[in-house]
Every structure is written in C-alpha cells, then in structure tokens.
Amino acid sequence: MSPDYRVDLVLGLYGQSAKFRRYTAETKRNYATDNALLLTALWARRKTWLEATSKDLEDYEDWRRFALTNPNRIGGSKWDRELSAIMSLYSWAKKEGYLPRNPVLMKQVVGRNGETLMVPEQRADDARPSNAHWLTPRTWRRWIDVGLRGHTREGVPEPGWVGRLEDRNVAFVRTLVSSGLRLGEGGSLLTFEVPKRRLGGGRYYRGKVAAQVTRSKKQRTYYVSAEAIGDIESYVASSRAWAVRKAQQAGRYDRLLEMRLLIEVTRGPKPKVRWCDQASVIGERELNLLTWQERMLLFEEGPHGLEPLWLWLNERGLPFLPSSWESVFRTANERCERILTPPEHLRKDPHQVYAPYATPHAARHSFALFMLVVLNHLMDQRYGLTPEERRDFRLLYGDPWFMVQNLLGHASRDTTVKHYLAPVADLQLRSMLATAEDVIEAPMPELDAVFARVARESDGIQDIDDRMQPAAGGDA
C-alpha cells in the first residue's frame, strides 16, 4: 500500500507469485523490507516502481552507500542483498510483461569454472564474502559463563542472578559450537533426533541433519560432543520438563489451532513420520522433508498428556522459534560488555575490546577452525605420519580441509577455505602445531595454548584468557 493508501495490484501479484512463494520465510521478510525502502525512495521522486529507470537505481545506490548526508549508509554486502531483492522484483515484472525493460542493468562475467554469467552492474566491488569471526574454545567458555550463566568478572555467579532457561541456552550454544550446525539446523531439532549417550560411547556422537532444514536441501551427518549431549539431556529432564508440565496444567496444548499427534516414525534409509491431526486425518511425510514449520506442529502423548517433539521450548512450553535465538545471543553479548568492560572504556574505546562478542554463525565458524586445528594435530602427531604416509592418507581419506568441508556441508571447498577459515588459510599448520606436546584426548582445554598461538598469528580470532584479558599480541 502506498503512502496515499492505494493498493499496488502488480506488487500484490508478485507477492503471490510462485517465485516469491518459494523463498524461505527469512528471504521473504528480507526482500519485502529491502524493496519497501526502494519504493519509499521512489515515492519521494513522485514515481512508482514500474516507472523507475536505471538512473533512479543508480541514484538510490549512491544514497544508500555513499551520500555523506545519509547518516545510515550501508556497506557492499548489505547493498548486494538489497540488489538481489530489487533484481527479483524487476526480473519477475519484466518476465510477466509489466515492464518493457528491466531497469537493473546487467553485465557479463566469467564464473568460477570458466562459464559466462550475467550479473547486475551495480553489484558491489567491496562486498565482504561473509561476516565471519571466530572465538577460541576458552573464549566460548567465558562467553557462556558470563553471558548465559551470570558469572562476574571474577568468575563466580553474580548474587541474585536469575537466569531465564539458563540450562536451555547453555545446551543450545554448546551444541552449535561443538557440531557446526547452522542456527536453523540446530534450532529445529526434534527430541528423537538428538543422539543418545551410552557407556563407552566416546567424546563425540553422530547425528543426521534433515535435508529440508539445511541450506543445500541435502541430508548430512554431523558430530556433537558428549558434553553438549549431556547438557541437552539435563535440560530435557529439568526446565524443559517443568515448562511442559506447566503448559499441560494450563491446557495450552489443548487450545492449539493446529497440532499433529505422532503415531510412529518408521525405520529404514528414508524414515517417515506418521501423525493424526485434530480432524482425525492421518498424514505421512518423509522425516527428511519436514520443514521447520511442520516440525513445530508435532506432538506425542506423554505420561501427563501432550508433549511437543520440538526440542527447544520457551517458558510457556511452546516451541522456541529459531530466529528467537538471535535475541539470546544479543542479550548475552550486552551482558559480557557490561560486566567485562571497565566503566571508563564502555562504548568509548573502539581499539581495545575487553569482552567477547558471539553470534550463532560465529559458533559455526569457530567449529570449523577448531576441527581444522584438531585434525591437523591428529594427523601430524598422534599418528606420527611421514610426509609420504600423509600424502597417501590424504589420497585415501582427503585432507583436513576436505574433512571440515564435509562436516559443514559445503558444496565448494572455496567456501570453507576463503570464508570460514580465512585467518589460517595461509598458515603452515604442521609446523605451527609442532610445539604441541600432548596427544589430544579431550580437545578443549588441552588445546588452549595452541589456539592462543593461532589467534596471535591470525586476524579476526577472539581469544581471551581465564582472567578475561586479551592474549598477548592477539585480537580479542
């Protein structure tokens, strides 16, 4: 709807188009927000989006990115995302015959494999491939203790601290850090998808990520630490069980507008989920193909009534949306900054960072860095391989870079090397790790010294010691 309260019928058709409907919920939200900004700018020029010219889009880019009078200028990466939204809208309008020509000018470029590609001319040259940053394992431990567990600078619980679902938040973060799962992947797990600990089961357990909740829409195997599984089990038995029981007593599950009661999960290479809905209609779908929205609807009959199969719940006993984890991380970051930054430097000193800063995707980047260091260490020292033996090992199994690529589910090795492991892409890890003396048994505290050295010799890696001081020579 325009500022004069007129409905744009063509824009409405775009929102109902098959192209737009097939976007993920996050992409729809981003594209709608980005295109709304463009529509507002064009309205100030007394133009509709169907009347825009290439010159209008060039002026709009200049305002968004370069105009000194704009106090909220954006960078190249954000502009490229907005340009994708603009391109989606105008390419659809041109294809459907609502425009004689597309105002987004295109140019030819050579792709990664030598193929010719058409890309928008206004694509930013200074776009950063990703907003990647890393935390060493001990820095994650401190971030969790201070941000999620309410510890003080001295490392003890703050008097009067009341952590809301502290065990849930700690379990989720440790799961992401130790597995490399994306926010949407880890945030949409069902209770029966979490690996079960067993006696003598080792330090890592194997699980499966359903294809539909991955970015590539391909199922993959992930590994998660036994400690994280233990945290999840403790959460399920404590605050999660309490939230479920309170919701049952309040009748919240009985009042849900839509709910699917689990009948069974079949076995085999392609397990299926069978359920009965509120109209007593039987449904069935391959587990691998369930969307995160469909997963939120699944319930089972417990000893006291209905229980959600969605693992992560809010205080009301209802599924906790994957996007809601962003606020958990934001709150933890704010607490770390408040507790750990000296008052005289709080929000005043951009060159000295006293507190760690984490995001859900930083957990994935940190996992990649951690696994690369560990795998190189194992290959170089634990197995005592000669250069010839290491070459044969790589030919048979692949090198650590390839192993980390598979763990992350990346289709391209370039994504793993350039984006996720950029700080160490040019380091000779074999020689760098040669000073590590102990064989890795529990690869967390034992490798603190190794990660401290990696942080000192690399850019962008946050490493803070037990006293919450930046490691000498490194970035925090």
mmCIF file of all heavy atoms in Angstrom, residues 20-35:
data_model
loop_
_atom_site.group_PDB
_atom_site.id
_atom_site.type_symbol
_atom_site.label_atom_id
_atom_site.label_comp_id
_atom_site.label_asym_id
_atom_site.label_seq_id
_atom_site.Cartn_x
_atom_site.Cartn_y
_atom_site.Cartn_z
ATOM 1 N N PHE A 20 8.089 -15.860 -5.589
ATOM 2 C CA PHE A 20 8.197 -15.320 -4.234
ATOM 3 C C PHE A 20 7.785 -16.352 -3.191
ATOM 4 O O PHE A 20 8.376 -16.438 -2.110
ATOM 5 C CB PHE A 20 7.330 -14.063 -4.109
ATOM 6 C CG PHE A 20 7.579 -13.279 -2.850
ATOM 7 C CD1 PHE A 20 8.651 -12.408 -2.760
ATOM 8 C CD2 PHE A 20 6.755 -13.429 -1.748
ATOM 9 C CE1 PHE A 20 8.886 -11.681 -1.608
ATOM 10 C CE2 PHE A 20 6.984 -12.706 -0.583
ATOM 11 C CZ PHE A 20 8.060 -11.839 -0.510
ATOM 12 N N ARG A 21 6.767 -17.161 -3.486
ATOM 13 C CA ARG A 21 6.304 -18.160 -2.522
ATOM 14 C C ARG A 21 7.364 -19.200 -2.209
ATOM 15 O O ARG A 21 7.375 -19.766 -1.122
ATOM 16 C CB ARG A 21 5.038 -18.855 -3.042
ATOM 17 C CG ARG A 21 3.808 -17.983 -3.068
ATOM 18 C CD ARG A 21 2.547 -18.855 -3.111
ATOM 19 N NE ARG A 21 2.611 -19.870 -4.148
ATOM 20 C CZ ARG A 21 2.172 -19.708 -5.390
ATOM 21 N NH1 ARG A 21 1.638 -18.553 -5.755
ATOM 22 N NH2 ARG A 21 2.240 -20.689 -6.273
ATOM 23 N N ARG A 22 8.249 -19.440 -3.148
ATOM 24 C CA ARG A 22 9.264 -20.483 -2.943
ATOM 25 C C ARG A 22 10.458 -20.013 -2.120
ATOM 26 O O ARG A 22 11.302 -20.814 -1.742
ATOM 27 C CB ARG A 22 9.745 -21.013 -4.303
ATOM 28 C CG ARG A 22 8.704 -21.865 -5.005
ATOM 29 C CD ARG A 22 9.084 -22.184 -6.424
ATOM 30 N NE ARG A 22 8.001 -22.890 -7.110
ATOM 31 C CZ ARG A 22 7.898 -22.999 -8.428
ATOM 32 N NH1 ARG A 22 8.828 -22.432 -9.205
ATOM 33 N NH2 ARG A 22 6.889 -23.651 -8.974
ATOM 34 N N TYR A 23 10.524 -18.720 -1.852
ATOM 35 C CA TYR A 23 11.581 -18.226 -0.974
ATOM 36 C C TYR A 23 11.334 -18.696 0.454
ATOM 37 O O TYR A 23 10.193 -18.954 0.860
ATOM 38 C CB TYR A 23 11.640 -16.692 -0.998
ATOM 39 C CG TYR A 23 12.107 -16.089 -2.298
ATOM 40 C CD1 TYR A 23 11.550 -14.900 -2.771
ATOM 41 C CD2 TYR A 23 13.095 -16.688 -3.057
ATOM 42 C CE1 TYR A 23 11.972 -14.324 -3.968
ATOM 43 C CE2 TYR A 23 13.533 -16.124 -4.255
ATOM 44 C CZ TYR A 23 12.960 -14.948 -4.703
ATOM 45 O OH TYR A 23 13.377 -14.392 -5.880
ATOM 46 N N THR A 24 12.404 -18.782 1.242
ATOM 47 C CA THR A 24 12.245 -19.098 2.647
ATOM 48 C C THR A 24 11.585 -17.923 3.364
ATOM 49 O O THR A 24 11.541 -16.796 2.841
ATOM 50 C CB THR A 24 13.602 -19.397 3.302
ATOM 51 O OG1 THR A 24 14.399 -18.194 3.283
ATOM 52 C CG2 THR A 24 14.333 -20.512 2.559
ATOM 53 N N ALA A 25 11.076 -18.179 4.559
ATOM 54 C CA ALA A 25 10.415 -17.116 5.322
ATOM 55 C C ALA A 25 11.376 -15.955 5.585
ATOM 56 O O ALA A 25 10.983 -14.781 5.521
ATOM 57 C CB ALA A 25 9.881 -17.677 6.637
ATOM 58 N N GLU A 26 12.638 -16.268 5.869
ATOM 59 C CA GLU A 26 13.619 -15.212 6.131
ATOM 60 C C GLU A 26 13.871 -14.380 4.881
ATOM 61 O O GLU A 26 13.960 -13.155 4.942
ATOM 62 C CB GLU A 26 14.923 -15.832 6.629
ATOM 63 C CG GLU A 26 15.994 -14.804 6.957
ATOM 64 C CD GLU A 26 17.278 -15.440 7.441
ATOM 65 O OE1 GLU A 26 17.361 -16.675 7.458
ATOM 66 O OE2 GLU A 26 18.197 -14.687 7.795
ATOM 67 N N THR A 27 13.991 -15.054 3.717
ATOM 68 C CA THR A 27 14.220 -14.330 2.461
ATOM 69 C C THR A 27 13.019 -13.449 2.122
ATOM 70 O O THR A 27 13.180 -12.298 1.683
ATOM 71 C CB THR A 27 14.500 -15.316 1.323
ATOM 72 O OG1 THR A 27 15.671 -16.073 1.623
ATOM 73 C CG2 THR A 27 14.715 -14.579 0.008
ATOM 74 N N LYS A 28 11.823 -13.968 2.328
ATOM 75 C CA LYS A 28 10.629 -13.154 2.077
ATOM 76 C C LYS A 28 10.635 -11.891 2.926
ATOM 77 O O LYS A 28 10.343 -10.793 2.439
ATOM 78 C CB LYS A 28 9.372 -13.969 2.381
ATOM 79 C CG LYS A 28 9.083 -15.090 1.406
ATOM 80 C CD LYS A 28 7.852 -15.865 1.848
ATOM 81 C CE LYS A 28 7.549 -17.019 0.905
ATOM 82 N NZ LYS A 28 6.404 -17.827 1.374
ATOM 83 N N ARG A 29 10.970 -12.055 4.200
ATOM 84 C CA ARG A 29 10.995 -10.904 5.108
ATOM 85 C C ARG A 29 12.064 -9.901 4.679
ATOM 86 O O ARG A 29 11.818 -8.687 4.638
ATOM 87 C CB ARG A 29 11.267 -11.389 6.534
ATOM 88 C CG ARG A 29 11.280 -10.275 7.570
ATOM 89 C CD ARG A 29 11.331 -10.828 8.986
ATOM 90 N NE ARG A 29 12.484 -11.684 9.210
ATOM 91 C CZ ARG A 29 12.427 -13.005 9.351
ATOM 92 N NH1 ARG A 29 11.258 -13.625 9.288
ATOM 93 N NH2 ARG A 29 13.509 -13.718 9.553
ATOM 94 N N ASN A 30 13.257 -10.398 4.345
ATOM 95 C CA ASN A 30 14.334 -9.503 3.922
ATOM 96 C C ASN A 30 13.997 -8.784 2.624
ATOM 97 O O ASN A 30 14.221 -7.573 2.493
ATOM 98 C CB ASN A 30 15.629 -10.296 3.758
ATOM 99 C CG ASN A 30 16.189 -10.781 5.078
ATOM 100 O OD1 ASN A 30 15.899 -10.218 6.123
ATOM 101 N ND2 ASN A 30 16.982 -11.835 5.037
ATOM 102 N N TYR A 31 13.473 -9.516 1.648
ATOM 103 C CA TYR A 31 13.159 -8.913 0.356
ATOM 104 C C TYR A 31 12.043 -7.880 0.487
ATOM 105 O O TYR A 31 12.082 -6.818 -0.151
ATOM 106 C CB TYR A 31 12.749 -9.991 -0.654
ATOM 107 C CG TYR A 31 13.931 -10.681 -1.318
ATOM 108 C CD1 TYR A 31 15.196 -10.652 -0.734
ATOM 109 C CD2 TYR A 31 13.781 -11.358 -2.521
ATOM 110 C CE1 TYR A 31 16.277 -11.275 -1.339
ATOM 111 C CE2 TYR A 31 14.854 -11.983 -3.144
ATOM 112 C CZ TYR A 31 16.104 -11.949 -2.545
ATOM 113 O OH TYR A 31 17.171 -12.567 -3.145
ATOM 114 N N ALA A 32 11.047 -8.182 1.309
ATOM 115 C CA ALA A 32 9.958 -7.218 1.497
ATOM 116 C C ALA A 32 10.473 -5.935 2.142
ATOM 117 O O ALA A 32 10.119 -4.819 1.718
ATOM 118 C CB ALA A 32 8.864 -7.843 2.365
ATOM 119 N N THR A 33 11.343 -6.085 3.141
ATOM 120 C CA THR A 33 11.906 -4.907 3.814
ATOM 121 C C THR A 33 12.779 -4.101 2.869
ATOM 122 O O THR A 33 12.696 -2.860 2.816
ATOM 123 C CB THR A 33 12.731 -5.347 5.033
ATOM 124 O OG1 THR A 33 11.894 -6.088 5.920
ATOM 125 C CG2 THR A 33 13.291 -4.140 5.764
ATOM 126 N N ASP A 34 13.637 -4.776 2.106
ATOM 127 C CA ASP A 34 14.556 -4.080 1.206
ATOM 128 C C ASP A 34 13.810 -3.368 0.084
ATOM 129 O O ASP A 34 14.140 -2.224 -0.269
ATOM 130 C CB ASP A 34 15.566 -5.079 0.625
ATOM 131 C CG ASP A 34 16.490 -5.651 1.683
ATOM 132 O OD1 ASP A 34 16.611 -5.034 2.750
ATOM 133 O OD2 ASP A 34 17.081 -6.721 1.445
ATOM 134 N N ASN A 35 12.822 -4.039 -0.499
ATOM 135 C CA ASN A 35 12.078 -3.396 -1.585
ATOM 136 C C ASN A 35 11.215 -2.256 -1.081
ATOM 137 O O ASN A 35 10.973 -1.284 -1.808
ATOM 138 C CB ASN A 35 11.215 -4.436 -2.314
ATOM 139 C CG ASN A 35 12.017 -5.225 -3.340
ATOM 140 O OD1 ASN A 35 12.887 -4.673 -4.006
ATOM 141 N ND2 ASN A 35 11.742 -6.509 -3.446
#
